[in-house]
Amino acid sequence: MRLEDLVRLRRARDVMDREYARPLDVPTLARGAHMSPGHFSRTFRAAYGETPYGYLMTRRVERAKALLRRGDLSVTEVCFAVGCTSLGSFSSRFTELVGETPSAYRARRHDAGAAVPACVAKVLTRPVRNGVPVRNGEPVRNGEAESTAAS
């Protein structure tokens, strides 16, 4: 992969990180990266191990978890605050990544993480599909994470 492509992909990823609540789609992100939508999607997945949509939804779910922990917004309000336009799609993706519904997550106590600095909490609470870490779009199986981390 060319260095110029990696720089453009990083900029697109930074846009998703900063502007996750805006309506973002692959054609818009690809245009900003000066790539065709197909090339953008393929190179993004090759560079980051997930599709642009998957990455954006993971960022949105991360932000949603923080808002739900506060407890002052309804699930619907959180859904729209993080840039999702469909409560059903948001709830499905949230449940897939977190392993419980947004309502169940909101209702649960979150005192244990209150003393953890935000930068650490972000890493520890990063959504993963059904509680299973994902690498290159595939679930990491037992023992596989340790063996590849050591190599």
Side-chain angles (χ1 to χ4, degrees), residues 9-22 24-25 29 40 44 48 51-57 59-60 63:
L9 292 173
R10 178 56 191 238
R11 286 184 188 139
R13 198 175 77 164
D14 289 346
V15 166
M16 287 186 262
D17 288 339
R18 273 191 324 272
E19 301 178 29
Y20 60 89
R22 268 192 35 216
L24 296 172
D25 59 11
L29 293 166
F40 175 76
F44 191 96
Y48 298 113
T51 65
Y53 176 77
Y55 182 85
L56 178 61
M57 286 305 294
R59 296 289 80 70
R60 287 176 171 171
R63 283 12 177 237

Side-chain angles (χ1 to χ4, degrees), residues 55-124:
Y55 182 85
L56 178 61
M57 286 305 294
T58 301
R59 296 289 80 70
R60 287 176 171 171
V61 168
E62 279 180 353
R63 283 12 177 237
K65 287 174 70 176
L67 293 173
L68 291 168
R69 281 193 300 270
R70 286 186 1 204
D72 59 342
L73 297 174
S74 71
V75 172
T76 303
E77 289 170 323
V78 169
C79 167
F80 294 125
V82 298
C84 294
T85 57
S86 164
L87 182 59
S89 297
F90 167 74
S91 295
S92 295
R93 187 64 171 201
F94 188 98
T95 303
E96 178 187 350
L97 293 173
V98 178
E100 61 185 325
T101 66
S103 297
Y105 184 84
R106 184 178 182 270
R108 186 164 51 83
R109 293 182 58 90
H110 298 280
D111 297 341
V116 177
C119 59
V120 175
K122 182 179 176 183
V123 172
L124 295 177

Side-chain angles (χ1 to χ4, degrees), residues 9 26-43:
L9 292 173
V26 170
T28 302
L29 293 166
R31 221 176 0 265
H34 306 290
M35 297 178 179
S36 72
H39 181 68
F40 175 76
S41 291
R42 285 188 302 276
T43 55

